[in-house]
Amino acid sequence: MFSDTPCPHTTILLSFCAGCLTGIDLFSQHCAREFSSENVLFWCAVSDYKAKFDVEKCIPEKSSAHEATAIYKHYIADGNTQVNLSSKQRSDIKKTIDSGRATRGTFDAAQREIFAVMSRDSYPRFLASKKNRQLCT
């Protein structure tokens, strides 16, 4: 029986891959072939959103609210690129978006949840894929 907990080694490898543009690109291509690209796209969109807070230390409130709303509409609200989150996650994020109080941490729990899904599902298959093995040899 498989555990819902990602293998620590896989999580470390995915963390390394996610920090490298080439790794993200290769993993994104793999996810597209698996019809699960919304997860890596969401993870990247949230990472970009959070990076703006880090770089600028403070992005204008209107800009952050607009960007958070765009991420919510594209990946969390019902749509073609919807990520699989719990109803509580969706509800909590919707309340924050509707209140206009989006912060750097608005999507943290959802991003962690999607990272865990990728760690235990898509990424092990990516590591085992013939195409990935060919790239690594």
mmCIF file of all heavy atoms in Angstrom, residues 38 42 45-46 64-83 85 90 93-94 97-98 106-107:
data_model
loop_
_atom_site.group_PDB
_atom_site.id
_atom_site.type_symbol
_atom_site.label_atom_id
_atom_site.label_comp_id
_atom_site.label_asym_id
_atom_site.label_seq_id
_atom_site.Cartn_x
_atom_site.Cartn_y
_atom_site.Cartn_z
ATOM 1 N N GLU A 38 -1.328 21.812 -14.702
ATOM 2 C CA GLU A 38 -1.882 22.867 -13.862
ATOM 3 C C GLU A 38 -1.186 22.927 -12.497
ATOM 4 O O GLU A 38 -1.020 24.009 -11.927
ATOM 5 C CB GLU A 38 -3.405 22.708 -13.681
ATOM 6 C CG GLU A 38 -3.851 21.521 -12.878
ATOM 7 C CD GLU A 38 -3.857 20.202 -13.642
ATOM 8 O OE1 GLU A 38 -3.610 20.198 -14.863
ATOM 9 O OE2 GLU A 38 -4.110 19.172 -13.016
ATOM 10 N N PHE A 42 0.575 26.309 -11.385
ATOM 11 C CA PHE A 42 0.095 26.977 -10.172
ATOM 12 C C PHE A 42 1.258 27.216 -9.221
ATOM 13 O O PHE A 42 1.425 28.311 -8.685
ATOM 14 C CB PHE A 42 -0.990 26.131 -9.488
ATOM 15 C CG PHE A 42 -1.353 26.620 -8.111
ATOM 16 C CD1 PHE A 42 -2.154 27.748 -7.956
ATOM 17 C CD2 PHE A 42 -0.907 25.960 -6.981
ATOM 18 C CE1 PHE A 42 -2.488 28.206 -6.683
ATOM 19 C CE2 PHE A 42 -1.238 26.405 -5.712
ATOM 20 C CZ PHE A 42 -2.037 27.535 -5.562
ATOM 21 N N ALA A 45 3.307 30.060 -10.525
ATOM 22 C CA ALA A 45 2.599 31.343 -10.424
ATOM 23 C C ALA A 45 2.641 31.872 -8.992
ATOM 24 O O ALA A 45 2.879 33.062 -8.758
ATOM 25 C CB ALA A 45 1.149 31.193 -10.893
ATOM 26 N N VAL A 46 2.436 30.988 -8.025
ATOM 27 C CA VAL A 46 2.481 31.398 -6.620
ATOM 28 C C VAL A 46 3.911 31.780 -6.229
ATOM 29 O O VAL A 46 4.123 32.774 -5.521
ATOM 30 C CB VAL A 46 1.912 30.300 -5.693
ATOM 31 C CG1 VAL A 46 2.146 30.631 -4.226
ATOM 32 C CG2 VAL A 46 0.427 30.112 -5.957
ATOM 33 N N SER A 64 -1.083 43.668 -5.724
ATOM 34 C CA SER A 64 -1.090 42.336 -5.111
ATOM 35 C C SER A 64 -2.490 41.737 -5.119
ATOM 36 O O SER A 64 -2.657 40.551 -5.376
ATOM 37 C CB SER A 64 -0.528 42.372 -3.690
ATOM 38 O OG SER A 64 -1.377 43.096 -2.829
ATOM 39 N N ALA A 65 -3.492 42.560 -4.851
ATOM 40 C CA ALA A 65 -4.875 42.065 -4.872
ATOM 41 C C ALA A 65 -5.258 41.610 -6.267
ATOM 42 O O ALA A 65 -5.895 40.573 -6.445
ATOM 43 C CB ALA A 65 -5.824 43.147 -4.371
ATOM 44 N N HIS A 66 -4.861 42.379 -7.280
ATOM 45 C CA HIS A 66 -5.166 42.027 -8.673
ATOM 46 C C HIS A 66 -4.479 40.715 -9.055
ATOM 47 O O HIS A 66 -5.098 39.826 -9.652
ATOM 48 C CB HIS A 66 -4.730 43.155 -9.607
ATOM 49 C CG HIS A 66 -4.901 42.830 -11.052
ATOM 50 N ND1 HIS A 66 -6.132 42.775 -11.666
ATOM 51 C CD2 HIS A 66 -3.994 42.513 -12.007
ATOM 52 C CE1 HIS A 66 -5.981 42.443 -12.931
ATOM 53 N NE2 HIS A 66 -4.691 42.281 -13.172
ATOM 54 N N GLU A 67 -3.211 40.583 -8.704
ATOM 55 C CA GLU A 67 -2.464 39.374 -9.061
ATOM 56 C C GLU A 67 -3.000 38.148 -8.307
ATOM 57 O O GLU A 67 -3.134 37.069 -8.875
ATOM 58 C CB GLU A 67 -0.977 39.564 -8.765
ATOM 59 C CG GLU A 67 -0.132 38.531 -9.438
ATOM 60 C CD GLU A 67 1.331 38.919 -9.511
ATOM 61 O OE1 GLU A 67 1.662 40.100 -9.347
ATOM 62 O OE2 GLU A 67 2.133 38.011 -9.762
ATOM 63 N N ALA A 68 -3.324 38.327 -7.032
ATOM 64 C CA ALA A 68 -3.893 37.221 -6.247
ATOM 65 C C ALA A 68 -5.237 36.788 -6.830
ATOM 66 O O ALA A 68 -5.526 35.589 -6.923
ATOM 67 C CB ALA A 68 -4.046 37.636 -4.783
ATOM 68 N N THR A 69 -6.036 37.745 -7.230
ATOM 69 C CA THR A 69 -7.331 37.432 -7.843
ATOM 70 C C THR A 69 -7.137 36.673 -9.148
ATOM 71 O O THR A 69 -7.861 35.707 -9.426
ATOM 72 C CB THR A 69 -8.144 38.726 -8.092
ATOM 73 O OG1 THR A 69 -8.363 39.364 -6.831
ATOM 74 C CG2 THR A 69 -9.477 38.433 -8.752
ATOM 75 N N ALA A 70 -6.150 37.077 -9.932
ATOM 76 C CA ALA A 70 -5.877 36.392 -11.201
ATOM 77 C C ALA A 70 -5.465 34.936 -10.953
ATOM 78 O O ALA A 70 -5.935 34.022 -11.644
ATOM 79 C CB ALA A 70 -4.788 37.134 -11.979
ATOM 80 N N ILE A 71 -4.608 34.711 -9.964
ATOM 81 C CA ILE A 71 -4.200 33.338 -9.628
ATOM 82 C C ILE A 71 -5.409 32.544 -9.161
ATOM 83 O O ILE A 71 -5.621 31.403 -9.587
ATOM 84 C CB ILE A 71 -3.087 33.338 -8.557
ATOM 85 C CG1 ILE A 71 -1.788 33.892 -9.143
ATOM 86 C CG2 ILE A 71 -2.869 31.923 -7.997
ATOM 87 C CD1 ILE A 71 -0.698 34.153 -8.116
ATOM 88 N N TYR A 72 -6.226 33.155 -8.301
ATOM 89 C CA TYR A 72 -7.428 32.475 -7.796
ATOM 90 C C TYR A 72 -8.350 32.080 -8.947
ATOM 91 O O TYR A 72 -8.781 30.932 -9.040
ATOM 92 C CB TYR A 72 -8.166 33.370 -6.795
ATOM 93 C CG TYR A 72 -9.495 32.793 -6.398
ATOM 94 C CD1 TYR A 72 -9.573 31.742 -5.484
ATOM 95 C CD2 TYR A 72 -10.682 33.245 -6.970
ATOM 96 C CE1 TYR A 72 -10.794 31.176 -5.145
ATOM 97 C CE2 TYR A 72 -11.899 32.687 -6.637
ATOM 98 C CZ TYR A 72 -11.948 31.652 -5.728
ATOM 99 O OH TYR A 72 -13.153 31.077 -5.400
ATOM 100 N N LYS A 73 -8.640 33.024 -9.823
ATOM 101 C CA LYS A 73 -9.565 32.747 -10.930
ATOM 102 C C LYS A 73 -9.017 31.683 -11.879
ATOM 103 O O LYS A 73 -9.761 30.853 -12.385
ATOM 104 C CB LYS A 73 -9.862 34.030 -11.717
ATOM 105 C CG LYS A 73 -10.778 34.974 -10.996
ATOM 106 C CD LYS A 73 -11.041 36.221 -11.826
ATOM 107 C CE LYS A 73 -12.017 37.139 -11.136
ATOM 108 N NZ LYS A 73 -12.238 38.378 -11.906
ATOM 109 N N HIS A 74 -7.721 31.731 -12.122
ATOM 110 C CA HIS A 74 -7.132 30.824 -13.109
ATOM 111 C C HIS A 74 -6.946 29.402 -12.578
ATOM 112 O O HIS A 74 -7.149 28.435 -13.319
ATOM 113 C CB HIS A 74 -5.788 31.387 -13.572
ATOM 114 C CG HIS A 74 -5.252 30.734 -14.796
ATOM 115 N ND1 HIS A 74 -5.704 31.027 -16.058
ATOM 116 C CD2 HIS A 74 -4.301 29.789 -14.948
ATOM 117 C CE1 HIS A 74 -5.070 30.296 -16.937
ATOM 118 N NE2 HIS A 74 -4.204 29.526 -16.303
ATOM 119 N N TYR A 75 -6.557 29.253 -11.315
ATOM 120 C CA TYR A 75 -6.178 27.932 -10.808
ATOM 121 C C TYR A 75 -7.075 27.362 -9.714
ATOM 122 O O TYR A 75 -7.014 26.162 -9.449
ATOM 123 C CB TYR A 75 -4.741 27.966 -10.266
ATOM 124 C CG TYR A 75 -3.721 28.265 -11.319
ATOM 125 C CD1 TYR A 75 -3.119 29.514 -11.395
ATOM 126 C CD2 TYR A 75 -3.365 27.306 -12.262
ATOM 127 C CE1 TYR A 75 -2.184 29.794 -12.372
ATOM 128 C CE2 TYR A 75 -2.432 27.581 -13.248
ATOM 129 C CZ TYR A 75 -1.842 28.826 -13.293
ATOM 130 O OH TYR A 75 -0.924 29.103 -14.262
ATOM 131 N N ILE A 76 -7.883 28.193 -9.064
ATOM 132 C CA ILE A 76 -8.632 27.695 -7.907
ATOM 133 C C ILE A 76 -10.136 27.726 -8.146
ATOM 134 O O ILE A 76 -10.830 26.759 -7.842
ATOM 135 C CB ILE A 76 -8.239 28.484 -6.635
ATOM 136 C CG1 ILE A 76 -6.746 28.247 -6.373
ATOM 137 C CG2 ILE A 76 -9.085 28.059 -5.441
ATOM 138 C CD1 ILE A 76 -6.144 29.106 -5.313
ATOM 139 N N ALA A 77 -10.646 28.819 -8.703
ATOM 140 C CA ALA A 77 -12.067 28.875 -9.034
ATOM 141 C C ALA A 77 -12.326 27.860 -10.148
ATOM 142 O O ALA A 77 -11.402 27.416 -10.824
ATOM 143 C CB ALA A 77 -12.445 30.281 -9.483
ATOM 144 N N ASP A 78 -13.558 27.496 -10.329
ATOM 145 C CA ASP A 78 -13.884 26.525 -11.375
ATOM 146 C C ASP A 78 -13.369 26.996 -12.724
ATOM 147 O O ASP A 78 -13.620 28.117 -13.133
ATOM 148 C CB ASP A 78 -15.398 26.311 -11.451
ATOM 149 C CG ASP A 78 -15.936 25.658 -10.192
ATOM 150 O OD1 ASP A 78 -15.171 24.936 -9.541
ATOM 151 O OD2 ASP A 78 -17.107 25.889 -9.850
ATOM 152 N N GLY A 79 -12.634 26.114 -13.396
ATOM 153 C CA GLY A 79 -12.097 26.455 -14.705
ATOM 154 C C GLY A 79 -11.321 25.305 -15.301
ATOM 155 O O GLY A 79 -11.223 24.224 -14.722
ATOM 156 N N ASN A 80 -10.739 25.542 -16.453
ATOM 157 C CA ASN A 80 -10.006 24.493 -17.176
ATOM 158 C C ASN A 80 -8.670 24.134 -16.546
ATOM 159 O O ASN A 80 -8.164 23.042 -16.755
ATOM 160 C CB ASN A 80 -9.774 24.922 -18.631
ATOM 161 C CG ASN A 80 -11.053 24.982 -19.420
ATOM 162 O OD1 ASN A 80 -12.032 24.344 -19.059
ATOM 163 N ND2 ASN A 80 -11.060 25.747 -20.490
ATOM 164 N N THR A 81 -8.062 25.063 -15.812
ATOM 165 C CA THR A 81 -6.740 24.805 -15.228
ATOM 166 C C THR A 81 -6.819 24.721 -13.703
ATOM 167 O O THR A 81 -5.886 25.085 -13.000
ATOM 168 C CB THR A 81 -5.743 25.904 -15.636
ATOM 169 O OG1 THR A 81 -6.295 27.173 -15.298
ATOM 170 C CG2 THR A 81 -5.409 25.841 -17.107
ATOM 171 N N GLN A 82 -7.913 24.223 -13.212
ATOM 172 C CA GLN A 82 -8.147 24.140 -11.772
ATOM 173 C C GLN A 82 -7.263 23.076 -11.129
ATOM 174 O O GLN A 82 -7.190 21.945 -11.612
ATOM 175 C CB GLN A 82 -9.617 23.804 -11.539
ATOM 176 C CG GLN A 82 -10.037 23.818 -10.102
ATOM 177 C CD GLN A 82 -11.522 23.500 -9.952
ATOM 178 O OE1 GLN A 82 -12.073 22.760 -10.759
ATOM 179 N NE2 GLN A 82 -12.131 24.054 -8.941
ATOM 180 N N VAL A 83 -6.593 23.464 -10.025
ATOM 181 C CA VAL A 83 -5.811 22.497 -9.262
ATOM 182 C C VAL A 83 -6.726 21.819 -8.251
ATOM 183 O O VAL A 83 -7.777 22.347 -7.884
ATOM 184 C CB VAL A 83 -4.604 23.156 -8.551
ATOM 185 C CG1 VAL A 83 -3.577 23.642 -9.562
ATOM 186 C CG2 VAL A 83 -5.029 24.273 -7.625
ATOM 187 N N LEU A 85 -7.633 21.061 -4.874
ATOM 188 C CA LEU A 85 -7.468 21.470 -3.482
ATOM 189 C C LEU A 85 -8.713 21.098 -2.693
ATOM 190 O O LEU A 85 -9.796 20.955 -3.257
ATOM 191 C CB LEU A 85 -7.270 22.993 -3.389
ATOM 192 C CG LEU A 85 -6.016 23.576 -4.017
ATOM 193 C CD1 LEU A 85 -6.079 25.099 -4.013
ATOM 194 C CD2 LEU A 85 -4.778 23.093 -3.280
ATOM 195 N N ARG A 90 -9.999 26.068 -0.722
ATOM 196 C CA ARG A 90 -10.664 26.950 -1.680
ATOM 197 C C ARG A 90 -11.445 28.048 -0.961
ATOM 198 O O ARG A 90 -11.371 29.222 -1.326
ATOM 199 C CB ARG A 90 -11.630 26.159 -2.561
ATOM 200 C CG ARG A 90 -10.955 25.268 -3.536
ATOM 201 C CD ARG A 90 -11.989 24.501 -4.381
ATOM 202 N NE ARG A 90 -11.315 23.460 -5.113
ATOM 203 C CZ ARG A 90 -10.501 23.676 -6.133
ATOM 204 N NH1 ARG A 90 -10.298 24.886 -6.559
ATOM 205 N NH2 ARG A 90 -9.908 22.685 -6.733
ATOM 206 N N ILE A 93 -9.103 30.679 0.740
ATOM 207 C CA ILE A 93 -8.494 31.585 -0.237
ATOM 208 C C ILE A 93 -9.546 32.531 -0.809
ATOM 209 O O ILE A 93 -9.302 33.736 -0.951
ATOM 210 C CB ILE A 93 -7.781 30.789 -1.353
ATOM 211 C CG1 ILE A 93 -6.565 30.057 -0.755
ATOM 212 C CG2 ILE A 93 -7.352 31.705 -2.497
ATOM 213 C CD1 ILE A 93 -5.911 29.054 -1.681
ATOM 214 N N LYS A 94 -10.725 32.013 -1.098
ATOM 215 C CA LYS A 94 -11.801 32.862 -1.633
ATOM 216 C C LYS A 94 -12.145 33.978 -0.653
ATOM 217 O O LYS A 94 -12.306 35.129 -1.057
ATOM 218 C CB LYS A 94 -13.041 32.031 -1.952
ATOM 219 C CG LYS A 94 -14.165 32.860 -2.575
ATOM 220 C CD LYS A 94 -15.322 31.995 -2.985
ATOM 221 C CE LYS A 94 -16.472 32.712 -3.613
ATOM 222 N NZ LYS A 94 -16.456 34.117 -3.793
ATOM 223 N N ILE A 97 -9.397 36.589 -0.843
ATOM 224 C CA ILE A 97 -9.475 37.332 -2.104
ATOM 225 C C ILE A 97 -10.656 38.303 -2.067
ATOM 226 O O ILE A 97 -10.515 39.480 -2.410
ATOM 227 C CB ILE A 97 -9.607 36.369 -3.316
ATOM 228 C CG1 ILE A 97 -8.385 35.457 -3.439
ATOM 229 C CG2 ILE A 97 -9.883 37.127 -4.611
ATOM 230 C CD1 ILE A 97 -7.076 36.156 -3.693
ATOM 231 N N ASP A 98 -11.819 37.809 -1.626
ATOM 232 C CA ASP A 98 -13.017 38.646 -1.578
ATOM 233 C C ASP A 98 -12.855 39.824 -0.617
ATOM 234 O O ASP A 98 -13.431 40.891 -0.826
ATOM 235 C CB ASP A 98 -14.244 37.826 -1.196
ATOM 236 C CG ASP A 98 -14.684 36.882 -2.302
ATOM 237 O OD1 ASP A 98 -14.206 37.020 -3.453
ATOM 238 O OD2 ASP A 98 -15.505 35.977 -2.012
ATOM 239 N N THR A 106 -0.937 34.257 1.183
ATOM 240 C CA THR A 106 -2.311 33.870 0.821
ATOM 241 C C THR A 106 -2.405 32.446 0.277
ATOM 242 O O THR A 106 -3.342 31.718 0.594
ATOM 243 C CB THR A 106 -2.895 34.870 -0.202
ATOM 244 O OG1 THR A 106 -2.989 36.152 0.422
ATOM 245 C CG2 THR A 106 -4.257 34.431 -0.704
ATOM 246 N N PHE A 107 -1.433 32.045 -0.521
ATOM 247 C CA PHE A 107 -1.499 30.742 -1.179
ATOM 248 C C PHE A 107 -0.554 29.707 -0.570
ATOM 249 O O PHE A 107 -0.380 28.629 -1.146
ATOM 250 C CB PHE A 107 -1.176 30.897 -2.675
ATOM 251 C CG PHE A 107 -2.108 31.820 -3.398
ATOM 252 C CD1 PHE A 107 -1.714 33.119 -3.711
ATOM 253 C CD2 PHE A 107 -3.382 31.408 -3.766
ATOM 254 C CE1 PHE A 107 -2.560 33.979 -4.380
ATOM 255 C CE2 PHE A 107 -4.241 32.265 -4.438
ATOM 256 C CZ PHE A 107 -3.832 33.556 -4.743
#
